[in-house]
Amino acid sequence: MHTTGPEATASKTEIHMRRLGLMPIFLTVSIALGLMVAVLCGFSVMVLSNIAHTSTTTRDQALPAILNQQRTALNLERLDRFGEIILATEDAKVRRATRFYAQILTQDTAFESDPRIQQIVTEVFQAIRKVEGMRIRQSARITALGKDVRSFTTLIESLEHGLLEIDASKGTYLAALSSIRNAISTLPLARNSHDLDAITLRIDAAVSHASTISASSATTKIIEDQAREASEMIARRQAIFDDVKDAEALWAKARAHIDETANTLSMDAALTTSNRFTEIVESAQLSVRFALFSLIVIAVLIVFSLIMVRRHLLLPIVHATRGLAEAQINPDIKLPPARIREVDSINQGVVQLGHVLTQLREHSQELELARENALRASRAKSEFLASMSHEIRTPMNSILGMGEILLDTELDPEQQRYVSIFRSAGEGLLETINDILDISKVEAGQMLLENIPFNLDELLEKTINILSLRAREKGIQLTSSLAAATPRHLSGDPTRLRQILTNLVGNAIKFTSSGSVHVNVEPEPDALPGSLLISVSDTGIGIRHEHLDSIFDSFTQEDSSTTRRFGGTGLGLTICRRLVELMDGKIWVSSKPGEGSTFSFTVCMTTVEENQVPSPPHAEESQPVTLPRLRLLQVEDTPSNALVTAAFIRHTPFELTTTESAEAFLSSYNPGDFDVVLMDIQMPSMDGYEAIRKLRELEKAQNTKPVPVVAVTAFALKGAREKCIAAGFDAYLSKPVSRQELLQTLLRLAASRST
């Protein structure tokens, strides 16, 4: 039974006052916990601030190096053009001026950053000077030969008049001399050895025919002497052809140096960008982990502190204060003087606790500021990635476009090989850029998977067919097998599944010198229907055991010699691992050095009915496409990209007009003048987004039908297409653009406009 009254109140107050006697110990523990929270907040602020500093420093260091490499590659391309001009032109003044410009270009400071490149530039300029000297000698010899040909034909004409008086058989010999004169007069027009052989045959035939007719020896000797002199001039012309071949061979060797150096610079620029991105990503990952850990610890400490404050501080203070208040009102309640003094100590503890809470609030504000700095650093990384992608894709559009155009022209086998080499190098650089974008999307959590029905048979067959050409070039047998129990009709992301297969099979072909590569698909054991187990086996170089754990890391290959021998950036397997994980699967590898490797992975799909999978178009249904007449307007500030577009539509009924700025386009645009507009996005003064907005406002004000506008841009990051469509564009093309993509887009817009 509970007791009440003054004695009970004094007893309870005495108990609470005793509990408050532990206040110094509790305050010490609270201050220690507060200091721990403050230290964790301080570390979080420091690490997050380091992200912003690292991002800014990386951007400032990477941009000058990449721009310098691009400038060097551009100067090498100019040297290449100067050499071609000197080799091709017949004008001595043009050759001298071109050689002078080339000499000035070799003194550019961009070449001084790398002694190896400076040495190559010096060798190329020496080759240009040698080619110029050879062309000067060829021109002098051609000029002298031309004078001799004119003198020779004049001499033969005088001999023809003399033969009319010394030989009764003058008709045959006159015809022979006339044939020699006509043949030798075409000598300056000869372009190759085949033409010279034809001239020689005509002269020999004339001499042989004349010798069969009996006549005076004086007449026969005249014809033979003229034929002999004509043969000497033909030999001189042949010597000039040989000199031209020597000059072309000399310049071909110099061009090989230029192409090799330009490819090296392109790969260096890509690797530099990749390494900088890796530094930013690793710093961000470390900082995010530490920040999450700090937040968890802080939350635990705060909850623990609140529980302790309530139990050991607030409740005793409330009860003790209430008892003291009753003691002041009721004189029957007696408290010892020592307990009353403890009240003052309690008040001091409350003040100290208030200071601790104030410090915690300040540190929380600092942590929030650091979080904002980290977000700004992340935005800076995204802007840097977008800028680098745009700056590399813009020249790549010209490189790959010109390569595609050159392959459609008449080239000899050696020229085709050269064009194929630089197209392959450009496509390799583009693959590297796309790999960097993919890994950035995955790490930023922006990689979204589709979920659409597809046919597994067709996907596997198309992938193998695409890669079989590469396998045949190396003499490797590429095969595939699909287990009978494997479901054929699935729902998932076929594009990303094809990307994984292409990376793994492509690596297997790359690292296999002889033997075979086999792809096997079967259901995953003990898994849900639709789960697949896919293996890619090869008989290549294999992987050492100590490297198996790190082979899926970014920018990782077995060792540096592997990179030098086979190429690559080491991003493909990292992307495969991330995509497999997004598909709720896993990937692993088993390998023996010298015997081969087997990469296996699982993915989770869902099975669907056959009627849910779209049927592929049949080959017999495709009909030849008749291109309509379209009036096109191109708004492009880069001349090389404008030239590529013009070359793509050269043999079509399209009419192309080009303007270099959005302002010029808007000032001269009249509704109905053009059927389709091709517009770049990144332009000086006014970009494509502002231009399309003003164009649509103009069309709305004039109440005219909107003209289809295609966004042709080097921005290829996530959301670029959606941003262009939302701004008012009708279609989107990412540079580099192929001829097929351009024509398909134009045909689609033309069809939609006519309906």
Side-chain angles (χ1 to χ4, degrees):
M1 182 176 180
H2 298 287
T3 59
T4 59
E7 294 80 4
T9 302
S11 177
K12 292 180 180 179
T13 303
E14 176 72 13
I15 293 173
H16 290 301
M17 294 295 289
R18 288 177 180 175
R19 292 179 64 184
L20 289 177
L22 301 176
M23 177 70 71
I25 298 176
F26 177 73
L27 288 179
T28 302
V29 174
S30 300
I31 292 173
L33 293 176
L35 290 176
M36 290 178 62
V37 172
V39 169
L40 288 174
C41 291
F43 272 114
S44 300
V45 171
M46 181 181 66
V47 174
L48 293 175
S49 299
N50 186 52
I51 296 179
H53 177 71
T54 302
S55 300
T56 304
T57 304
T58 301
R59 180 195 62 195
D60 294 341
Q61 292 176 352
L63 277 177
I66 295 173
L67 293 177
N68 189 65
Q69 288 170 334
Q70 291 181 339
R71 177 180 173 184
T72 302
L74 179 60
N75 287 341
L76 288 173
E77 181 182 353
R78 290 173 178 170
L79 279 179
D80 186 10
R81 291 202 298 266
F82 289 157
E84 288 292 331
I85 292 172
I86 291 175
L87 184 63
T89 186
E90 299 291 342
D91 193 329
K93 293 182 179 179
V94 173
R95 285 199 297 266
R96 285 196 300 272
T98 304
R99 190 254 304 155
F100 176 72
Y101 294 146
Q103 184 176 5
I104 293 176
L105 190 61
T106 57
Q107 300 172 359
D108 193 286
T109 56
F111 295 134
E112 297 176 358
S113 59
D114 191 337
R116 179 177 57 86
I117 294 178
Q118 192 172 15
Q119 175 67 22
I120 293 175
V121 169
T122 302
E123 293 176 358
V124 171
F125 179 67
Q126 291 175 353
I128 289 176
R129 295 188 62 178
K130 290 180 181 179
V131 170
E132 181 191 14
M134 298 172 72
R135 294 293 289 132
I136 291 173
R137 291 192 296 273
Q138 293 165 10
S139 298
R141 295 172 67 181
I142 291 174
T143 302
L145 181 61
K147 292 180 180 179
D148 292 344
V149 168
R150 289 192 294 272
S151 300
F152 182 74
T153 55
T154 302
L155 176 61
I156 290 182
E157 289 175 353
S158 64
L159 290 175
E160 290 175 354
H161 292 294
L163 284 177
L164 292 173
E165 302 175 357
I166 64 174
D167 199 313
S169 307
K170 56 183 180 300
T172 300
Y173 288 100
L174 283 173
L177 286 174
S178 178
S179 296
I180 294 174
R181 175 170 54 80
N182 292 336
I184 207 67
S185 64
T186 62
L187 185 60
L189 302 178
R191 290 292 177 264
N192 49 48
S193 299
H194 179 72
D195 294 343
L196 295 182
D197 292 340
I199 295 172
T200 302
L201 289 176
R202 291 173 59 186
I203 294 174
D204 291 343
V207 174
S208 176
H209 181 67
S211 63
T212 60
I213 307 299
S214 59
S216 63
S217 59
T219 304
T220 303
K221 187 175 184 304
I222 290 173
I223 293 176
E224 291 176 349
D225 291 343
Q226 303 312 311
R228 189 180 305 108
E229 186 173 350
S231 297
E232 292 176 355
M233 285 189 285
I234 291 173
R236 290 166 57 190
R237 185 59 174 165
Q238 181 63 50
I240 294 174
F241 284 149
D242 293 339
D243 289 346
V244 171
K245 291 182 180 178
D246 292 341
E248 291 176 348
L250 176 62
W251 182 241
K253 184 177 179 181
R255 288 195 68 186
H257 282 294
I258 293 177
D259 292 341
E260 181 181 359
T261 305
N263 291 337
T264 302
L265 287 173
S266 298
M267 292 304 298
D268 289 345
L271 290 177
T272 300
T273 306
S274 301
N275 293 335
R276 298 303 182 184
F277 291 157
T278 303
E279 294 177 7
I280 295 176
V281 169
E282 290 177 351
S283 298
Q285 290 177 339
L286 177 62
S287 302
V288 169
R289 292 194 192 101
F290 188 83
L292 289 175
F293 173 75
S294 301
L295 289 175
I296 293 173
V297 173
I298 290 172
V300 172
L301 292 178
I302 290 175
V303 171
F304 177 75
S305 300
L306 291 176
I307 294 174
M308 296 297 292
V309 165
R310 183 180 183 278
R311 182 176 180 181
H312 297 286
L313 182 62
L314 296 180
L315 290 179
I317 289 176
V318 170
H319 292 304
T321 304
R322 186 178 300 163
L324 290 173
E326 292 180 5
Q328 292 177 354
I329 297 173
N330 189 350
D332 296 331
I333 300 175
K334 304 295 183 179
L335 290 176
R339 298 306 181 193
I340 298 176
R341 288 194 297 269
E342 288 177 358
V343 174
D344 296 332
S345 299
I346 293 173
N347 293 332
Q348 294 177 1
V350 171
V351 172
Q352 292 178 358
L353 181 60
H355 289 313
V356 171
L357 294 176
T358 301
Q359 291 178 356
L360 286 176
R361 184 170 60 253
E362 292 175 352
H363 285 303
S364 298
Q365 293 174 351
E366 292 177 357
L367 186 60
E368 178 65 22
L369 180 61
R371 188 184 70 85
E372 294 177 358
N373 290 336
L375 292 176
R376 283 196 294 269
S378 178
R379 287 193 295 269
K381 187 196 82 168
S382 300
E383 293 172 359
F384 174 74
L385 182 64
S387 176
M388 284 302 95
S389 174
H390 178 274
E391 293 303 322
I392 295 175
R393 284 177 177 271
T394 297
M396 286 301 300
N397 186 61
S398 301
I399 294 171
L400 294 181
M402 285 300 178
E404 184 177 353
I405 294 165
L406 282 175
L407 285 178
D408 290 337
T409 61
E410 294 183 2
L411 302 174
D412 59 37
E414 185 177 9
Q415 291 171 332
Q416 288 181 349
R417 185 167 64 87
Y418 290 159
V419 174
S420 298
I421 288 174
F422 84 71
R423 274 202 76 193
S424 177
E427 290 170 353
L429 177 58
L430 185 61
E431 289 179 2
T432 301
I433 298 169
N434 291 335
D435 285 346
I436 294 173
L437 295 180
D438 282 345
I439 199 68
S440 299
K441 289 178 184 177
V442 173
E443 290 175 344
Q446 297 177 348
M447 180 70 75
L448 300 179
L449 297 181
E450 291 183 314
N451 189 16
I452 59 176
F454 68 95
N455 189 302
L456 183 60
D457 270 327
E458 295 175 2
L459 184 145
L460 183 61
E461 181 181 359
K462 290 181 180 178
T463 304
I464 296 299
N465 289 340
I466 291 173
L467 295 169
S468 60
L469 177 60
R470 195 187 310 174
R472 285 197 299 270
E473 291 175 351
K474 296 188 66 175
I476 300 171
Q477 184 180 10
L478 177 59
T479 58
S480 64
S481 60
L482 192 62
T486 306
R488 266 57 173 180
H489 306 100
L490 302 170
S491 180
D493 194 329
T495 301
R496 296 303 176 184
L497 180 58
R498 185 183 298 109
Q499 182 178 359
I500 298 171
L501 280 172
T502 301
N503 277 342
L504 294 180
V505 177
N507 280 349
I509 296 173
K510 181 196 301 185
F511 295 107
T512 302
S513 300
S514 61
S516 63
V517 175
H518 181 71
V519 181
N520 181 64
V521 183
E522 61 186 41
E524 182 184 0
D526 303 325
L528 295 175
S531 299
L532 303 178
L533 171 60
I534 304 176
S535 301
V536 179
S537 304
D538 62 66
T539 58
I541 61 175
I543 306 169
R544 291 195 295 271
H545 179 74
E546 59 268 23
H547 294 128
L548 292 178
D549 294 335
S550 62
I551 197 69
F552 293 102
D553 294 339
S554 299
F555 306 105
T556 298
Q557 290 190 347
E558 185 175 1
D559 54 35
S560 59
S561 63
T562 302
T563 303
R564 291 193 301 269
R565 181 180 174 189
F566 296 98
T569 60
L571 284 174
L573 291 179
T574 303
I575 294 173
C576 289
R577 177 172 62 85
R578 298 298 180 87
L579 291 177
V580 167
E581 291 173 352
L582 287 176
M583 296 181 182
D584 298 327
K586 60 181 179 178
I587 187 170
W588 67 94
V589 58
S590 59
S591 180
K592 290 183 179 180
E595 297 183 10
S597 305
T598 298
F599 283 84
S600 304
F601 67 95
T602 61
V603 290
C604 294
M605 305 285 179
T606 56
T607 58
V608 296
E609 298 296 331
E610 182 177 357
N611 57 7
Q612 295 180 257
V613 179
S615 300
H618 298 289
E620 59 269 20
E621 296 177 358
S622 61
Q623 300 293 333
V625 178
T626 302
L627 298 177
R629 298 187 63 86
L630 293 178
R631 297 164 299 170
L632 307 180
L633 174 63
Q634 178 179 213
V635 185
E636 173 62 66
D637 65 314
T638 304
S640 58
N641 287 335
L643 179 62
V644 169
T645 304
F648 277 165
I649 66 172
R650 180 175 300 162
H651 301 296
T652 67
F654 302 158
E655 299 177 5
L656 180 65
T657 303
T658 301
T659 182
E660 297 181 354
S661 67
E663 293 90 340
F665 158 64
L666 292 173
S667 62
S668 61
Y669 175 74
N670 291 316
D673 285 352
F674 301 100
D675 299 312
V676 179
V677 177
L678 305 173
M679 183 178 295
D680 188 17
I681 295 297
Q682 186 72 14
M683 293 183 290
S685 185
M686 182 188 296
D687 61 17
Y689 296 118
E690 185 177 357
I692 190 66
R693 180 180 60 80
K694 292 187 176 181
L695 172 63
R696 297 311 185 202
E697 290 177 354
L698 178 64
E699 291 171 336
K700 185 176 181 181
Q702 297 179 355
N703 196 23
T704 58
K705 186 177 181 180
V707 62
V709 183
V710 182
V712 185
T713 175
F715 288 113
L717 295 180
K718 176 179 174 59
R721 178 189 299 273
E722 292 76 9
K723 183 178 180 181
C724 290
I725 299 302
F729 288 96
D730 298 275
Y732 167 90
L733 288 175
S734 172
K735 296 177 182 177
V737 181
S738 67
R739 185 174 187 270
Q740 183 179 5
E741 289 177 330
L742 177 62
L743 294 182
Q744 288 178 347
T745 301
L746 293 176
L747 287 175
R748 179 169 56 81
L749 291 178
S752 63
R753 185 172 175 84
S754 61
T755 56

